[in-house]
Coordinates of all heavy atoms in Angstrom, one line a residue:
D57 N -81.2 137.7 12.7 CA -82.4 137.7 13.4 C -83.4 138.6 12.8 O -84.6 138.4 12.8 CB -82.2 138.1 14.9 CG -81.2 137.1 15.6 OD1 -81.0 136.0 15.1 OD2 -80.6 137.6 16.6
L80 N -78.3 140.5 14.8 CA -77.8 139.1 14.7 C -76.9 138.9 16.0 O -76.7 139.8 16.8 CB -76.9 138.9 13.5 CG -75.5 139.5 13.5 CD1 -74.7 139.0 12.3 CD2 -75.5 141.1 13.5
N81 N -76.6 137.6 16.2 CA -75.7 137.3 17.3 C -74.5 136.5 16.8 O -74.7 135.5 16.0 CB -76.4 136.5 18.4 CG -75.5 136.2 19.6 OD1 -74.7 135.3 19.5 ND2 -75.5 137.0 20.6
A82 N -73.3 136.9 17.1 CA -72.1 136.3 16.6 C -71.9 134.9 17.1 O -71.5 134.0 16.4 CB -70.8 137.1 16.9
S83 N -72.2 134.6 18.4 CA -72.1 133.3 18.9 C -73.1 132.3 18.3 O -72.8 131.2 18.0 CB -72.2 133.4 20.4 OG -73.0 132.4 21.0
Y84 N -74.3 132.8 18.0 CA -75.3 132.0 17.3 C -74.8 131.6 15.9 O -74.9 130.5 15.5 CB -76.6 132.8 17.2 CG -77.7 132.0 16.4 CD1 -78.4 131.0 17.0 CD2 -77.8 132.2 15.0 CE1 -79.3 130.2 16.3 CE2 -78.7 131.4 14.3 CZ -79.4 130.5 14.9 OH -80.3 129.7 14.2
N85 N -74.2 132.6 15.3 CA -73.7 132.4 13.9 C -72.5 131.4 13.9 O -72.3 130.7 12.9 CB -73.3 133.7 13.3 CG -74.5 134.3 12.5 OD1 -74.8 133.9 11.4 ND2 -75.1 135.2 13.2
L87 N -72.0 129.0 16.3 CA -72.3 127.7 17.0 C -73.7 127.2 16.7 O -73.8 126.2 15.9 CB -72.1 128.0 18.5 CG -70.8 128.4 19.0 CD1 -70.8 128.9 20.4 CD2 -69.7 127.3 18.8
D88 N -74.7 127.8 17.2 CA -76.0 127.2 17.2 C -76.5 126.8 15.8 O -77.1 125.7 15.6 CB -77.1 128.2 17.8 CG -76.7 128.8 19.1 OD1 -75.6 129.3 19.2 OD2 -77.5 128.7 20.1
E92 N -77.9 123.3 14.7 CA -79.2 123.1 14.1 C -79.2 122.5 12.7 O -80.1 121.8 12.4 CB -79.9 124.5 14.0 CG -80.3 125.0 15.4 CD -80.6 126.5 15.4 OE1 -80.8 127.1 14.3 OE2 -80.7 127.1 16.5
L119 N -70.8 124.6 22.0 CA -72.0 125.4 22.4 C -72.3 125.2 23.9 O -72.6 126.2 24.5 CB -73.2 125.0 21.5 CG -74.5 125.6 21.8 CD1 -74.5 127.1 21.7 CD2 -75.6 125.0 20.9
V122 N -69.8 127.2 25.9 CA -70.0 128.7 25.8 C -71.3 129.1 26.6 O -71.3 130.1 27.3 CB -70.2 129.0 24.3 CG1 -70.7 130.4 24.1 CG2 -68.8 128.9 23.6
E123 N -72.3 128.3 26.5 CA -73.5 128.6 27.3 C -73.2 128.6 28.8 O -73.7 129.5 29.5 CB -74.7 127.7 27.0 CG -75.2 128.0 25.6 CD -76.6 127.3 25.3 OE1 -76.5 126.1 24.9 OE2 -77.6 127.9 25.6
A124 N -72.5 127.6 29.2 CA -72.1 127.5 30.7 C -71.3 128.8 31.1 O -71.6 129.3 32.2 CB -71.4 126.3 31.0
A126 N -71.3 131.7 29.5 CA -72.1 132.9 29.4 C -73.0 133.0 30.6 O -73.2 134.1 31.1 CB -73.0 132.7 28.1
A127 N -73.5 131.9 31.1 CA -74.4 131.9 32.3 C -73.5 132.4 33.5 O -74.0 133.2 34.3 CB -75.0 130.6 32.6
R130 N -73.0 136.2 33.3 CA -74.2 136.9 33.7 C -74.3 136.9 35.2 O -74.6 137.9 35.8 CB -75.4 136.1 33.1 CG -75.7 136.5 31.7 CD -77.2 136.9 31.6 NE -77.4 137.5 30.3 CZ -78.1 136.8 29.4 NH1 -78.7 135.6 29.6 NH2 -78.3 137.4 28.2
E136 N -75.1 143.5 29.2 CA -74.9 143.8 27.8 C -74.1 145.1 27.7 O -74.3 146.0 28.5 CB -76.2 144.0 27.1 CG -76.1 143.8 25.6 CD -77.5 143.8 24.9 OE1 -78.5 143.5 25.5 OE2 -77.5 144.2 23.7
L155 N -66.7 133.8 22.8 CA -68.0 133.5 22.2 C -69.1 133.7 23.3 O -70.2 134.0 23.0 CB -68.0 132.1 21.7 CG -67.2 131.9 20.4 CD1 -67.0 130.5 20.0 CD2 -67.8 132.7 19.2
A156 N -68.7 133.4 24.6 CA -69.6 133.6 25.7 C -70.0 135.1 25.8 O -71.1 135.5 26.0 CB -69.1 133.1 27.0
C157 N -68.9 136.0 25.7 CA -69.2 137.4 25.7 C -70.1 137.8 24.6 O -71.1 138.5 24.8 CB -67.8 138.2 25.6 SG -66.8 138.1 27.0
A158 N -69.8 137.3 23.4 CA -70.6 137.7 22.2 C -72.0 137.2 22.4 O -73.0 137.9 22.0 CB -70.0 137.0 21.0
R159 N -72.2 136.1 23.1 CA -73.6 135.6 23.3 C -74.4 136.5 24.1 O -75.6 136.7 23.8 CB -73.5 134.2 24.0 CG -74.7 133.4 23.9 CD -74.5 132.0 24.2 NE -75.7 131.2 23.9 CZ -75.9 130.7 22.7 NH1 -75.0 130.8 21.7 NH2 -77.0 129.9 22.5
I160 N -73.8 137.1 25.1 CA -74.6 138.0 26.0 C -74.4 139.5 25.6 O -74.9 140.4 26.3 CB -74.3 137.8 27.5 CG1 -72.8 138.1 27.8 CG2 -74.7 136.3 27.9 CD1 -72.5 138.0 29.3
G161 N -73.8 139.7 24.5 CA -73.6 141.1 24.0 C -72.7 141.9 24.8 O -72.8 143.2 24.8
A162 N -71.7 141.3 25.4 CA -70.6 142.0 26.2 C -69.4 142.0 25.3 O -68.8 141.0 25.0 CB -70.4 141.3 27.5
G251 N -74.9 122.7 31.6 CA -76.2 122.4 31.1 C -77.1 123.7 31.0 O -78.3 123.6 30.6
A252 N -76.6 124.8 31.4 CA -77.3 126.1 31.3 C -77.7 126.4 29.9 O -77.0 126.0 29.0 CB -76.5 127.2 31.9
S253 N -78.8 127.0 29.7 CA -79.2 127.4 28.4 C -79.3 129.0 28.4 O -80.0 129.6 29.2 CB -80.5 126.7 28.0 OG -81.2 127.5 27.1
V254 N -78.5 129.6 27.5 CA -78.5 131.0 27.5 C -78.8 131.5 26.1 O -78.1 131.2 25.1 CB -77.1 131.6 27.9 CG1 -77.0 133.1 27.7 CG2 -76.7 131.2 29.3
D255 N -80.0 132.1 25.9 CA -80.3 132.6 24.6 C -79.4 133.6 24.1 O -79.0 134.6 24.8 CB -81.7 133.2 24.6 CG -82.8 132.1 24.8 OD1 -82.5 130.9 24.5 OD2 -83.9 132.4 25.2
P256 N -79.0 133.5 22.8 CA -78.1 134.5 22.2 C -78.9 135.9 22.1 O -80.0 135.9 21.7 CB -77.8 134.0 20.8 CG -78.7 132.9 20.6 CD -79.3 132.4 21.9
V257 N -78.2 136.9 22.6 CA -78.9 138.3 22.5 C -78.8 138.8 21.1 O -77.7 138.8 20.5 CB -78.1 139.2 23.5 CG1 -78.5 140.6 23.3 CG2 -78.2 138.7 24.9
S258 N -79.9 139.3 20.6 CA -79.9 139.9 19.3 C -79.1 141.3 19.4 O -79.5 142.1 20.2 CB -81.3 140.2 18.8 OG -81.8 139.1 18.2
R259 N -78.1 141.4 18.6 CA -77.3 142.7 18.6 C -77.6 143.4 17.3 O -77.7 142.8 16.3 CB -75.9 142.4 18.8 CG -75.5 141.6 20.0 CD -75.3 142.5 21.2 NE -74.1 143.3 21.2 CZ -73.8 144.3 21.9 NH1 -74.7 144.8 22.7 NH2 -72.6 144.9 21.9

Side-chain angles (χ1 to χ4, degrees):
D57 300 338
L80 77 169
N81 181 281
S83 134
Y84 176 82
N85 271 280
L87 301 168
D88 309 54
E92 287 163 13
L119 174 58
V122 166
E123 287 193 272
R130 277 231 173 108
E136 203 174 333
L155 293 167
C157 287
R159 195 164 191 87
I160 61 172
S253 153
V254 176
D255 288 341
V257 170
S258 275
R259 299 277 284 165

